[in-house]
Amino acid sequence: MTALLDPFSVSRTRRLRDRAFFVLIRGIVTLIDSGEGTPKALSSPRLRWILNKFAHMYGFEADRVLEEEAGRRVAWNLLKSVSDYGISTPQRLRAPVSVVWSLSYQCNLRCKHCYQNASQRSSDELTLDEQLNIVEQMARAGVSLVVLSGGEPLANPSLEKLIERIKQHKMAVSIDSNGVLLDKEMVQHLKQLGVDSIEISLDSVNAESHDRFRGLEGAFEKTLDAVELCSDAGIFTTVATTSTKLNYAESGELISLARSRGAQRVVFFDLVPAGRGRDIQDLKLSRVEQLQLMALVKKECSREGCEVFTELPQYVVYSSVGDGESISNEAEKALSVERFTLSSFFDCAGHDNIYRKVAVYLGGCPAGRLYCNIQPNGDVTPCMFMPRYPVAGNLRNQSFDEIWNGTTFQSLRDRSSLKGKCRECRSVMVCGGCRAKAAAYESDYLASDPTCPIQVADA
């Protein structure tokens, strides 16, 4: 299986093109930068035509993303980053595209795998005033999408005020929920507030198994109803599951169930032993099972109607092997705020795949590179699955900009900082291994990913 390790090469021609684009982009940024956030010029038809021509060179259609306010924030972040830092592999960004914000430890369920170990509010959680101030800081920094998580964010009494403030600053809003509290009235209210997308957790196609894993009888039916309600309301709806030995065999059935309820995306997370997840480490998938899951996802990626992802950084490499086909080859579907900012674990199936052209710049583990996490007490970490370590700073005594540009995150943007097999791997630029697993298993967030199925398969 040596072919799985073949790198995504950047030809001399591409490097020359990147250099030319850098010069052109720096000129554009110099002309339109007002120093006050996203320039209004990004809305002009002429500039959008120019930027779309640039996007075409990489295989994308940029019209759709530039029509959206949050999309223009993404575009400006990328343009400003290229102007400031050049085009690099991986690409360095002046601000995270998205921030996953764990608002509180308060939760109505007791899930066996909860990385937050959520149950009740903690005495040191941020006040509403502190949270609103953080929204202001993220907006100034250039963040495009804020994912409100928990605990259970729908149980947070300040949720409405936070969403309103985020939307005032033209950032997109997503919510991670267990779905139990999402009735028709709540869904319609979230839609009116401007919530762009929602991710709902589903752990089994069997009601008893899901309810036992989540710790609440009746949760299964409420969760499925929530998926359908959100989809019917026009909110981009993702069904998320954490793959374990308990539900691995029914992955295909889960995709079908999610599709039948109207989900636009299904995403499979691998178990990370953080929080209560440490107590069920024996349920993690074997390396063979990881490969089989990636094979299923690769197969399902080619089907219309519902995207299928897996949050394994190795999937970027795995999916690039062989012919295959993918909806990612369709330029008009490949770039949108919902699709582009939530994941960098790109489906690279098919020789003409669009994402193959950008994976070396944006692919692989996004922790501390494309997104970061805010904990309930204001601690900032690289990833939601790294709630305690490493802590890059605290927003009560440091600004968001200071933390984002600090040494912890800088090390994650330099793949030469990685250690062991990850550093030596020829696919380090498009993968880099899972930093949360390195932190959990090795107590070193720069260590080699000990669960990598590709390196072991190659050996």
Side-chain angles (χ1 to χ4, degrees), residues 15 35 52 56 80 84 98 106 131 146 151 155 161 176 199 249 264 270 317 358 363 418 426 436 438:
R15 292 193 183 280
N52 204 42
H56 280 171
K80 194 73 164 62
D84 290 348
S98 60
Q106 182 179 357
Q131 290 174 332
V146 181
K161 292 181 180 178
D176 286 352
E199 183 176 286
Q264 283 82 43
D270 201 25
V317 183
V358 297
L418 301 183
R426 289 181 293 168

Side-chain angles (χ1 to χ4, degrees), residues 12 171 212 275 384 451:
R12 184 173 182 273
M171 293 182 283
R212 184 167 55 249
M384 61 185 179
T451 70

Side-chain angles (χ1 to χ4, degrees), residues 325-359:
E325 292 299 334
S326 170
I327 60 172
S328 298
N329 295 345
E330 302 179 31
E332 70 276 9
K333 294 183 179 181
L335 194 59
S336 69
V337 173
E338 296 93 349
R339 184 186 182 111
F340 193 67
T341 61
L342 292 180
S343 180
S344 62
F345 301 91
F346 301 131
D347 159 39
C348 292
H351 286 305
D352 296 326
N353 191 287
I354 293 166
Y355 286 126
R356 289 196 190 193
K357 301 176 183 179
V358 297

Side-chain angles (χ1 to χ4, degrees), residues 179 181-188 191 198 200 222-235 237 261-262:
L181 300 178
L182 281 165
D183 56 19
K184 187 173 183 179
E185 183 179 357
M186 172 69 81
V187 170
Q188 290 299 323
K191 178 67 174 178
I198 191 160
I200 299 173
K222 291 180 179 179
T223 297
L224 288 180
D225 288 345
V227 173
E228 196 162 342
L229 286 169
C230 290
S231 178
D232 289 346
I235 300 174
T237 306
R261 293 300 182 113

Side-chain angles (χ1 to χ4, degrees), residues 103-385:
L103 295 175
S104 172
Y105 294 108
Q106 182 179 357
C107 192
N108 55 331
L109 301 185
R110 299 293 180 271
C111 305
K112 294 183 183 297
H113 66 319
C114 180
Y115 54 86
Q116 285 290 102
N117 197 16
S119 57
Q120 303 295 325
R121 290 182 62 90
S122 173
S123 60
D124 65 346
E125 292 182 8
L126 296 166
T127 66
L128 175 59
D129 285 343
E130 288 174 320
Q131 290 174 332
L132 293 175
N133 178 263
I134 291 170
V135 173
E136 302 289 334
Q137 292 188 51
M138 289 191 292
R140 288 195 299 271
V143 173
S144 303
L145 170 70
V146 181
V147 181
L148 300 176
S149 187
E152 173 52 55
L154 298 180
N156 193 310
S158 302
L159 184 67
E160 180 174 338
K161 292 181 180 178
L162 279 172
I163 293 174
E164 289 175 341
R165 183 64 60 88
I166 292 166
K167 297 302 290 188
Q168 284 174 9
H169 288 288
K170 315 300 184 186
M171 293 182 283
V173 176
S174 184
I175 290 177
D176 286 352
S177 174
N178 56 51
V180 172
L181 300 178
L182 281 165
D183 56 19
K184 187 173 183 179
E185 183 179 357
M186 172 69 81
V187 170
Q188 290 299 323
H189 185 54
L190 294 176
K191 178 67 174 178
Q192 291 169 2
L193 288 172
V195 171
D196 298 274
S197 59
I198 191 160
E199 183 176 286
I200 299 173
S201 299
L202 181 65
D203 295 300
S204 178
V205 298
N206 177 274
E208 183 179 348
S209 298
H210 175 87
D211 293 352
R212 184 167 55 249
F213 196 76
R214 290 274 157 180
L216 179 69
E217 186 176 352
F220 179 76
E221 291 300 333
K222 291 180 179 179
T223 297
L224 288 180
D225 288 345
V227 173
E228 196 162 342
L229 286 169
C230 290
S231 178
D232 289 346
I235 300 174
F236 188 92
T237 306
T238 297
V239 166
T241 187
T242 297
S243 294
T244 68
K245 291 186 180 298
L246 297 176
N247 61 11
Y248 160 74
E250 58 189 39
S251 298
E253 295 176 77
L254 191 141
I255 294 171
S256 297
L257 179 59
R259 282 183 168 134
S260 72
R261 293 300 182 113
Q264 283 82 43
R265 174 187 286 143
V266 177
V267 58
F268 292 96
F269 290 90
D270 201 25
L271 178 66
V272 177
R276 288 197 289 271
R278 290 192 295 266
D279 300 329
I280 58 169
Q281 290 187 56
D282 58 325
L283 295 179
K284 71 178 183 293
L285 298 184
S286 69
R287 292 176 170 94
V288 171
E289 288 168 337
Q290 285 180 309
L291 289 170
Q292 292 172 343
L293 177 62
M294 289 193 288
L296 173 66
V297 170
K298 183 176 179 179
K299 175 183 176 182
E300 293 292 335
C301 277
S302 64
R303 297 180 59 184
E304 289 284 356
C306 181
E307 300 173 339
V308 183
F309 278 82
T310 176
E311 295 283 318
L312 286 166
Q314 293 85 10
Y315 184 67
V316 177
V317 183
Y318 179 91
S319 64
S320 70
V321 177
D323 293 333
E325 292 299 334
S326 170
I327 60 172
S328 298
N329 295 345
E330 302 179 31
E332 70 276 9
K333 294 183 179 181
L335 194 59
S336 69
V337 173
E338 296 93 349
R339 184 186 182 111
F340 193 67
T341 61
L342 292 180
S343 180
S344 62
F345 301 91
F346 301 131
D347 159 39
C348 292
H351 286 305
D352 296 326
N353 191 287
I354 293 166
Y355 286 126
R356 289 196 190 193
K357 301 176 183 179
V358 297
V360 72
Y361 309 103
L362 298 174
C365 182
R369 297 176 44 247
L370 305 182
Y371 89 101
C372 64
N373 169 246
I374 300 174
Q375 285 291 298
N377 68 347
D379 282 346
V380 180
T381 74
C383 170
M384 61 185 179
F385 294 113

